[in-house]
Structure formats: C-alpha cells, structure tokens
Amino acid sequence: MTDSKSPSFFAENWEIGPIFRALLRNKVGAMLIALQIAFTMTIVVNAIYIIVERSDKMQRPSGIDEANSFYISSVGFSHDFNSLVTTQEDLNLIRSLDGVIDAVQINAVPLSGSGWSMSLQTQPGTEFDGTGTAVYMIDEHGLNSLDVALVAGENFSPTDIQTRQSSQTHWPDKVIITLAMANRLFPDEGLAALGKTVYINDIEPMIITGIVDQLQAPWVGWDNVENVMLTPEIRDAKSSRYFVRTKPGQRDRVMNEVESQLAKSNSGRILRDMRSVEGTRLRAYRDNSAMISILVTVMTILVIVTGLGIVGLASFSVNQRKKQIGTRRALGASQLSIVRYFMLENFLISSAGVVIGAALTIVLNIVLVDAFSLDPIAWYYIPLGMVALWLVGQLAVFGPARKAANIAPALATRSV
Amino acid sequence: MLTMKDIKKIYRTDSIETHALRDFNLHVNEGDFVAVTGPSGSGKTTFLNIAGLLETFEEGRFELDGVDISHQNDAARSRLRNQKIGFVFQSFNLIPDLNLFDNVDVPLRYRGFSRQERKKRIEHNLEMVGLGNRMKHLPAQLSGGQQQRVAIARALAGEPRFLLADEPTGNLDSSMAQSVMALLKDINANGTTIIMVTHDAGLATQANRNIHVSDGKVSEKAMSLSPEAAQFKPSQHKRVVGLSE
C-alpha cells in the first residue's frame, strides 16, 4: 500500500489503460480528430519542408554586392549613334561620379532571369558533351564592379578585351570561370583547372585564366545556377547595359545621378530598366515568396482549425461527462488528476493521428518528389512534426481540461 | 468520528440567498449506521455533500476522523475523500465506458495503490457483491441492483472509514432495494460507519440511528430500533460475501 505517497505522480496510476479502452468504445469522435491531426501533419510537414527548401534557395548568395549595386540600360536610336564610343563615354562618366566604386558594360545580370548561355567541354569535338554555363561579357572592370573575388589566376587586362559584334560567333581565347564550374568540368581538381583548356562551340579553345569563388547565373531556378563563365568582351550593340557598384549607403543617390547624367550626355538614346539588384532579387524570387506566403497561410489555418477541432471535441466531451467528472472528483480525483485525464486522452488520440500522419507525410512526399523533382524529405521532419502536433493537441485541450477540473464534486449527487 | 458544530451553508444567486443548513449540529460515532430523512429541500443532500467533503460551508466547525476540515484546500479534501470516504449514489454513477473492473479501479488509482494491490482489492470487492464473474462487463449490461452493488464495491475497495449513501435504493425496485440494504447493513456490521440519506421511512428504520433534517436543521428521532435493525450491531458481525438479489 502506498497511502502515504502522493497518488498523482505514478505513471501506473495515470489511467492510460482505462482511457484507451474507453476511447475504443467511442471511436468516431476520437477517430475524426485523429484523422484531422493526421491530415494536418501531412500537409504541414510537407509544406514546411517546401518552405525551408525554397527559403534555402532564396538565401543563396549571388556572389555580387547586391546591397550596393544597380544596373541601367541604354538603347541608341539616332542614325548617327555610335555604340562603342557611347559605351566608353558612358562608362567613363559613371566611373567618375562620386560614390561609384566601379562600373562595367555587361550582357546580363545575375538574378535577372534573362541572359546568355553556352556550353563548355574539356575535349574538342562534336562527339563530346558539354557543360552548360551562363556567360557574362565584361571588361577588366568587371570583377571589381560585380565584387567577385578571384581564388586563382588573374583578372583580364585591357589588352584582353575584344569587341563583340552582334552577329559574331567566335569567342575570345581567355575565360574566367566560377569554382563550381571548374569542379564540374574537372571533378575533384578544383583550382587545378586554372590554365587548362576548355572548348566552346565544340572546337574553339579557351584557356582558363582565372577562377572566382562564387557568381550566380541569371536564372535562379536553374539547378546549375553557379555554372558561370566570364569572357573579356565589350559589345558593339545599340543596346547596352551598365552594371554599377557604389559605396555602401549611396546606391539610391547614385542611381538618380547616373540616370540624370547619362540622359544629359547623349540625346540619341533612351535610358530604361534601371533597377537595384536587391529589387531584382525580390522579382526573381517573387513566385517563391508568394508560395511561401500561401503555404504559411494554409498551414496556419489548418493548425488553427485542428486546434479548434480539438477544443470543440474536448469541450463537448467535458459537457457530456460533467456527471462523470463530478463522480471522479467525489471518488478522490484532484483537479490535477482531471486535467491530466483529458490531456492523456488527447495525447492518445494525437498519437494515433501523428502515427497515421507520419505515414501519409511520407506518401505525399513521394508524390511531390515525383511530380516536382524535389529532394526527399529529411527524416527529422517526421518526428519534429509529430512533436509539434502533439503540442498543438496538448495546448488545445488544456483549456477544456481546466474547465473540467473546475467541475464541482458535488455534481455527483445532483440529478443532471 | 464525525462532528458538525453550528454548520451554516448558504446558496447564493444574484438575487436569492437560500439557507440550506443553519446551526446544523451532529455527532456520528464510529460504527454508526445513520439514516437521514427529511422532506425534499430540507438540506439532506447538502448535509451529505458537506459530510462527504464535496462542498464547503460558510460557518461552523466540522471534524472528520479527527481532522478539522474547515481550512483544508481542494487537494487535501480530495485526498481525504479518497482515503476516508466511500460514496454510493442514487443513480449509481458508474462510468459507462469502463467495465466493472475499471470502474472499481477508479478511486484506487487516485489512491496510488500498486497494480497488484488494486487487482486484489477489485477482485475481492466484486466477489463480495456477487459480481466476481462479470468483471469485464460494462455497466449497461447489468441490472440496476447489480450496478448499485458495483458502486458499493467501488466505494468499499479503498476500505474507507465512512460510507455515504445518497438514496442508494432510490432507483431500485423493492426487492433489489432490500438486497442492497442488506449489503449495507452487512458492511456496517463489519465496522464501516454509514450515513444514508433516504426518503424511504421503512429503510430508515433499519438503520441503528435515525436523524430527521427539516429546514436545514437536525431533529434526531428517538432510538426506536426495529427488531430487524437491532440485529445489526456492528461489533457482532463479520462481512458476508456474495449476496444475491
């Protein structure tokens, strides 16, 4: 006999067996809540997984100084518009402005969604497969303007820079690539790719003269977004895009200044599409942001509805069992015992729900992986989801359980 | 054993005060079988609720088995109820989703007994009331009299000092009522103090003490034990096992 001990803290007296057997005799309500918990877990866990995956993608650094960079396009229209001269004058003007660190003409901008792509291969010949890569055409100011760091080799020199005509198909013989691209072309060699020859257009050789640590392609949804090559070229075209890096905190002022000065300097062209890189990032990930917002909303609503369902069932159960609760109190149940009873009951229902939910989560994930080429869900999402849903259940049932604990034991002797 | 001195109990609503008990005085000795009678609304059930620590009171002094109840908090009152008092209710108050074994087990779990101890007590008490072979049955599968016997087994399983019975035969026909009454007398004969609220004057006369509650006060009747009641002197009897309806 353990009379002298407090009766409330011995697991064997926690009524798990009787609660379980009682639930088996009243399956419908409990089963509905368990299924609701299961579906909620299935959707919430997969949604969280997708959110985390998208967020990770959105957090990837582009490799450039996004906070202090912007770009602007110039499109010449007058019949005497000289592209090369204008480009050089524009760049000289921009580079001379207060607050500008450097500027470059570039054919495409990271994160912008549009750009050039080519294929590089390590052996010449049409029979060999190439590795896809984004192409940025820059002069010797390019690396400084983009704020990318060389980890091997050297920057282009002014004598390396070639003029590229619109219809031109051949390429310079020097190239700078990203470390990721080097690893793809020459697996396990990394920086040792410096000085090696790669081939473009199947047979044109290019020597790798530099390797930069990181730079993203314009297409954020591309699996090989860090496959990038930089070529020493300045484009002779009526449309020209300038990429500008400013000193910290001066971007917005410099943007206005550049637009104004360029507009004054040449009336034979129009300026358009001036955007900060931060703004470009927001546009690039707009769909992802929208999806995350929708998923968060759906998840929140689901969890609230499930929580309310549990509150509803528990409240209904308390109201239906007032006499029984009064009787339990009369037989010696403390208020804590009553709270514990309802929380245990919910724990058992939730346990059934999360076990079913774990299985459904895996099934849904298999479907999603198949349909959208996602990676399989990490294993630890399942136990985390189970714990989260258990907590939701316990929080939801706590209010009704406290209400039940406040039922007077004298109710046992009343005719209700 | 149980002493109430000048107990006052008032039920209040926004506009009405009802004096359920006023200057209520009673002393119950160990081994008594007290029948409490009185008209509806006289305060019988209020008295039973206070005696059973189900309700508090405004004024007065109440000692139960040497413990002053006046200032006990809810947890202490729950513990005292569980350890010292067994309840038998008019409508049995068995938990419909639990089988007989689990029903009798309810107060024993709150008591903190070990699994083996609980099993022994449950089996013994269900055997005692003649339902040892129906432990896995649900209450709905039993007659009213059988359900009340399960309730009695539940009340006795913790070996309480007091058994409080609220109209224990109120929902039973006369045959079943007599059967339950015989069981209660037998329990009393074994030493358990019983306080029974009843409307049935016939049953009341079978107790060895009879008090009448009227307008919230006690008026004790003269000790006029019937020959039948006189047979049940607590000290002369052992518990009898297995009564039938």
Side-chain angles (χ1 to χ4, degrees), chain A residues 207-243:
Chain A
I207 296 172
I208 299 170
T209 58
I211 297 175
V212 294
D213 57 352
Q214 188 173 41
L215 182 60
Q216 282 190 336
W219 317 285
V220 294
W222 186 33
D223 287 343
N224 302 314
V225 71
E226 295 206 4
N227 284 11
V228 170
M229 62 183 271
L230 299 148
T231 56
E233 295 176 281
I234 191 159
R235 292 180 62 229
D236 182 8
K238 287 198 170 184
S239 176
S240 191
R241 182 181 289 121
Y242 305 123
F243 187 94

Side-chain angles (χ1 to χ4, degrees), chain A residues 1-3 7 12-13 15 18 21 25-26 323-324 327-333 335 409-410 412-413, chain B residues 49 54-55 74 78 81-83 87 89 93 95 97 102 109-115 118 121 138 154:
Chain A
M1 287 176 53
T2 53
D3 258 3
E12 70 175 87
N13 295 324
E15 302 184 81
R21 290 191 285 278
R25 294 190 183 102
N26 293 286
K323 181 98 174 178
Q324 185 188 126
T327 302
R328 285 180 179 274
R329 295 278 283 130
L331 296 177
Q335 290 182 310
T413 58
Chain B
N49 284 347
L54 302 179
E55 284 193 63
D74 186 84
S78 298
R81 271 200 301 276
N82 184 245
Q83 291 175 358
F87 285 96
F89 304 98
N93 291 21
I95 295 169
D97 299 326
D102 285 339
R109 283 180 182 266
Y110 298 138
R111 189 77 164 268
F113 288 137
S114 67
R115 185 193 303 264
R118 295 197 325 259
R121 284 169 178 257
L138 291 172
R154 180 178 67 184

Side-chain angles (χ1 to χ4, degrees), chain B residues 185-245:
Chain B
K185 284 192 285 190
D186 188 52
I187 290 160
N188 173 245
N190 203 43
T192 304
T193 305
I194 297 180
I195 299 173
M196 176 181 73
V197 165
T198 182
H199 272 105
D200 188 329
L203 288 180
T205 59
Q206 295 183 45
N208 64 8
R209 192 174 160 198
N210 212 324
I211 66 167
H212 189 75
V213 178
S214 177
D215 199 21
K217 290 185 174 179
V218 174
S219 63
E220 188 145 6
K221 289 184 175 176
M223 292 289 290
S224 55
L225 293 179
S226 64
E228 189 185 4
Q231 293 175 8
F232 290 92
K233 290 291 184 185
S235 57
Q236 297 171 355
H237 291 265
K238 302 260 183 223
R239 183 167 288 171
V240 177
V241 174
L243 292 180
S244 62
E245 284 177 23

Side-chain angles (χ1 to χ4, degrees), chain A residues 30-63:
Chain A
M31 208 58 209
L32 285 175
I33 288 295
L35 285 176
Q36 191 173 356
I37 288 170
F39 289 129
T40 301
M41 180 179 159
T42 304
I43 292 168
V44 166
V45 170
N46 277 288
I48 288 176
Y49 171 66
I50 292 171
I51 288 170
V52 170
E53 196 231 5
R54 296 293 160 118
S55 294
D56 285 348
K57 269 190 180 171
M58 291 170 68
Q59 300 301 320
R60 292 175 307 186
S62 63

Side-chain angles (χ1 to χ4, degrees), chain A residues 214-382:
Chain A
Q214 188 173 41
L215 182 60
Q216 282 190 336
W219 317 285
V220 294
W222 186 33
D223 287 343
N224 302 314
V225 71
E226 295 206 4
N227 284 11
V228 170
M229 62 183 271
L230 299 148
T231 56
E233 295 176 281
I234 191 159
R235 292 180 62 229
D236 182 8
K238 287 198 170 184
S239 176
S240 191
R241 182 181 289 121
Y242 305 123
F243 187 94
V244 184
R245 181 159 75 102
T246 70
K247 291 175 182 169
Q250 301 202 36
R251 183 195 66 197
D252 292 345
R253 180 188 64 75
V254 172
M255 284 173 80
N256 292 331
E257 182 83 4
V258 165
E259 188 174 34
S260 158
Q261 294 289 336
L262 291 183
K264 275 190 226 163
S265 70
N266 189 332
S267 57
R269 50 94 175 275
I270 57 170
L271 299 168
R272 58 182 222 182
D273 294 339
M274 186 169 71
R275 290 204 180 97
S276 67
V277 176
E278 280 183 333
T280 302
R281 170 175 278 278
L282 289 177
R283 287 162 62 95
Y285 289 107
R286 192 168 42 195
D287 289 351
N288 290 276
S289 299
M291 176 180 278
I292 287 172
S293 299
I294 290 167
L295 288 175
V296 167
T297 305
V298 168
M299 273 169 42
T300 307
I301 290 171
L302 257 180
V303 170
I304 289 173
V305 168
T306 300
L308 289 177
I310 293 168
V311 170
L313 181 75
S315 298
F316 178 71
S317 172
V318 167
N319 282 331
Q320 279 222 316
R321 290 191 275 183
K322 274 185 177 173
K323 181 98 174 178
Q324 185 188 126
I325 295 162
T327 302
R328 285 180 179 274
R329 295 278 283 130
L331 296 177
S334 63
Q335 290 182 310
L336 176 66
S337 302
I338 298 296
V339 170
R340 194 181 58 206
Y341 180 94
F342 280 92
M343 298 194 78
L344 266 176
E345 185 180 67
N346 173 269
F347 182 82
L348 292 177
I349 295 170
S350 299
S351 297
V354 297
V355 168
I356 298 168
L360 290 178
T361 300
I362 293 167
V363 170
L364 179 62
N365 188 248
I366 290 169
V367 172
L368 290 175
V369 167
D370 202 35
F372 301 108
S373 303
L374 299 174
D375 291 331
I377 196 165
W379 68 268
Y380 53 81
Y381 278 80
I382 306 284

Side-chain angles (χ1 to χ4, degrees), chain A residues 37-273:
Chain A
I37 288 170
F39 289 129
T40 301
M41 180 179 159
T42 304
I43 292 168
V44 166
V45 170
N46 277 288
I48 288 176
Y49 171 66
I50 292 171
I51 288 170
V52 170
E53 196 231 5
R54 296 293 160 118
S55 294
D56 285 348
K57 269 190 180 171
M58 291 170 68
Q59 300 301 320
R60 292 175 307 186
S62 63
I64 60 179
D65 182 6
E66 292 180 26
N68 302 303
S69 299
F70 71 96
Y71 54 95
I72 185 169
S73 294
S74 162
V75 182
F77 60 82
S78 62
H79 64 277
D80 59 344
F81 185 79
N82 187 318
S83 303
L84 280 177
V85 170
T86 303
T87 297
Q88 205 52 61
E89 287 174 353
D90 286 347
L91 286 171
N92 290 339
L93 173 63
I94 294 169
R95 289 168 185 160
S96 71
L97 291 176
D98 183 38
V100 171
I101 292 178
D102 214 339
V104 67
Q105 184 210 49
I106 197 165
N107 61 316
V109 174
L111 304 168
S112 66
S114 72
W116 294 32
S117 70
M118 288 300 292
S119 179
L120 294 181
Q121 56 198 67
T122 54
Q123 290 179 282
T126 54
E127 68 272 30
F128 296 105
D129 289 332
T131 300
T133 175
V135 182
Y136 293 125
M137 298 166 186
I138 57 171
D139 62 16
E140 71 278 15
H141 293 269
L143 297 186
N144 192 35
S145 300
L146 293 166
D147 194 29
V148 291
L150 277 166
V151 289
E154 56 187 21
N155 192 7
F156 299 129
S157 69
T159 55
D160 293 331
I161 310 303
Q162 299 179 12
T163 301
R164 184 179 194 89
Q165 303 301 324
S166 298
S167 56
Q168 179 179 321
T169 56
H170 65 270
W171 292 81
D173 57 2
K174 289 186 176 179
V175 66
I176 295 173
I177 61 174
T178 55
L179 186 57
M181 185 65 184
N183 285 324
R184 278 192 183 274
L185 288 168
F186 303 98
D188 304 324
E189 293 191 40
L191 298 181
L194 184 71
K196 294 197 171 178
T197 300
V198 289
Y199 298 89
I200 195 166
N201 285 340
D202 295 330
I203 53 170
E204 285 186 53
M206 301 177 95
I207 296 172
I208 299 170
T209 58
I211 297 175
V212 294
D213 57 352
Q214 188 173 41
L215 182 60
Q216 282 190 336
W219 317 285
V220 294
W222 186 33
D223 287 343
N224 302 314
V225 71
E226 295 206 4
N227 284 11
V228 170
M229 62 183 271
L230 299 148
T231 56
E233 295 176 281
I234 191 159
R235 292 180 62 229
D236 182 8
K238 287 198 170 184
S239 176
S240 191
R241 182 181 289 121
Y242 305 123
F243 187 94
V244 184
R245 181 159 75 102
T246 70
K247 291 175 182 169
Q250 301 202 36
R251 183 195 66 197
D252 292 345
R253 180 188 64 75
V254 172
M255 284 173 80
N256 292 331
E257 182 83 4
V258 165
E259 188 174 34
S260 158
Q261 294 289 336
L262 291 183
K264 275 190 226 163
S265 70
N266 189 332
S267 57
R269 50 94 175 275
I270 57 170
L271 299 168
R272 58 182 222 182
D273 294 339

